[in-house]
Amino acid sequence: AQSVTQPDIHITVSEGASLELRCNYSYGATPYLFWYVQSPGQGLQLLLKYFSGDTLVQGIKGFEAEFKRSQSSFNLRKPSVHWSDAAEYFCAVGSQGGSEKLVFGKGTKLTVNP
Amino acid sequence: DVKVTQSSRYLVKRTGEKVFLECVQDMDHENMFWYRQDPGLGLRLIYFSYDVKMKEKGDIPEGYSVSREKKERFSLILESASTNQTSMYLCASSNHLDTEAFFGQGTRLTVV
C-alpha cells in the first residue's frame, strides 16, 4: 500500500538558516510527488511537484526538492528561511492521472525564530 | 485564477444535527475529494468522487455520506453530527490528466 512518512513532526530553525524537511514514500509504481504548504487556518497550497525528468525541482517561494529513487525520498529544501515560511508542510504521493488520489504524510510543522 | 470554494469557513452545530458542507470548483475537474484534518493525524480521506454521481469510500467514511449531482459541486453530509466530528474539513479537486490537487480554504466545524 502507498504510504508517506514525514519523520519530523516539528522543526524549529532561525531566520536565515537553511532548511531541509524529510519525506520518504512507499509506492509500487512510478510516483508523482508533491509538497504542499498550509498556513494557519488555511487550505493547502502547492509548493512543487515531480513527475519525471530532472530530479531536482524548483518550486514557489524559493523552495526546491530532490527526488532520490534509491532512497525513496523527496526532501524539501530552502537555503535561507524567512519568518513567513512558518507553516505546516505536507508531502504527498500519487500516480498519473485517472481517478488516482494523493496519499499524504502527517505533516511537519515549521517554527521560525527571529 | 482557479478556485475551490467551500461554503463556510466556520460552522457550529449541535449533536444530532444533519450537517451539509458544500464545495464548488470552477476548473471542470473530474475528481473531487473530502479530507478531514486533525492535529497529529494529517489529512485523512473521507470520500472521493471521480465523476458525477460516482463516489468511493476513503479511509474514514463512517458517519459521513456524499453527494455529487453536478460536476462542479461535491457535498459532504454528516447524517447525525457527533462531537468527535469536530475537525477541519478540506475539499480538493483534480483532473484526470495529472494528480495535482487544488484545495479549498477549509471549514472548521465544531459540534457541541
Side-chain angles (χ1 to χ4, degrees):
Chain A
Q2 308 101 307
S3 67
V4 177
T5 302
Q6 294 180 246
D8 304 305
I9 297 172
H10 192 182
I11 283 183
T12 300
V13 299
S14 298
E15 191 168 17
S18 63
L19 173 70
E20 182 170 30
L21 302 182
R22 296 182 290 165
C23 172
N24 294 96
Y25 67 90
S26 172
Y27 200 75
T30 301
Y32 282 28
L33 295 157
F34 304 81
W35 274 100
Y36 285 85
V37 61
Q38 184 183 35
S39 299
Q42 303 296 315
L44 275 69
Q45 180 185 20
L46 182 71
L47 280 176
L48 48 79
K49 58 187 177 184
Y50 171 77
F51 287 173
S52 63
D54 192 346
T55 56
L56 184 64
V57 294
Q58 303 297 320
I60 62 171
K61 305 185 181 187
F63 285 92
E64 66 179 26
E66 186 171 12
F67 171 56
K68 292 185 177 179
R69 185 185 298 276
S70 62
Q71 298 177 19
S72 297
S73 70
F74 188 57
N75 294 348
L76 182 71
R77 300 194 294 249
K78 187 169 184 179
S80 177
V81 169
H82 188 263
W83 64 265
S84 60
D85 293 323
E88 191 155 21
Y89 292 80
F90 292 92
C91 181
V93 66
S95 66
Q96 180 184 5
S99 60
E100 279 295 320
K101 57 189 183 298
L102 292 176
V103 175
F104 285 86
K106 293 188 176 177
T108 298
K109 184 174 181 180
L110 175 65
T111 297
V112 181
N113 287 336
Chain B
D1 197 18
V2 296
K3 260 193 173 171
V4 178
T5 303
Q6 296 182 229
S7 53
S8 304
R9 291 294 305 275
Y10 301 95
L11 216 50
V12 180
K13 296 293 182 180
R14 295 195 180 277
T15 301
E17 275 193 77
K18 190 168 186 176
V19 180
F20 293 86
L21 302 184
E22 306 286 347
C23 175
V24 177
Q25 50 96 2
D26 64 0
M27 295 168 279
D28 201 36
H29 282 169
E30 294 85 0
N31 303 326
M32 295 188 75
F33 309 87
W34 276 106
Y35 290 91
R36 171 177 171 159
Q37 184 180 17
D38 300 288
L41 298 179
L43 276 72
R44 293 181 291 169
L45 183 64
I46 304 171
Y47 267 98
F48 69 101
S49 168
Y50 52 88
D51 203 349
V52 176
K53 297 190 185 294
M54 306 302 288
K55 62 185 179 185
E56 285 198 21
K57 293 180 180 179
D59 302 316
I60 52 165
E62 296 78 18
Y64 304 94
S65 62
V66 290
S67 172
R68 191 153 180 218
E69 296 297 317
K70 293 185 177 181
K71 190 175 187 180
E72 67 270 20
R73 186 179 297 269
F74 191 36
S75 303
L76 179 70
I77 304 155
L78 285 65
E79 298 291 344
S80 177
S82 64
T83 55
N84 63 13
Q85 293 178 310
T86 291
S87 187
M88 170 73 106
Y89 290 87
L90 292 166
C91 176
S93 70
S94 68
N95 64 33
H96 278 185
L97 296 179
D98 68 51
T99 322
E100 178 183 346
F102 293 83
F103 282 84
Q105 290 290 83
T107 297
R108 172 76 63 184
L109 173 66
T110 302
V111 182
V112 297

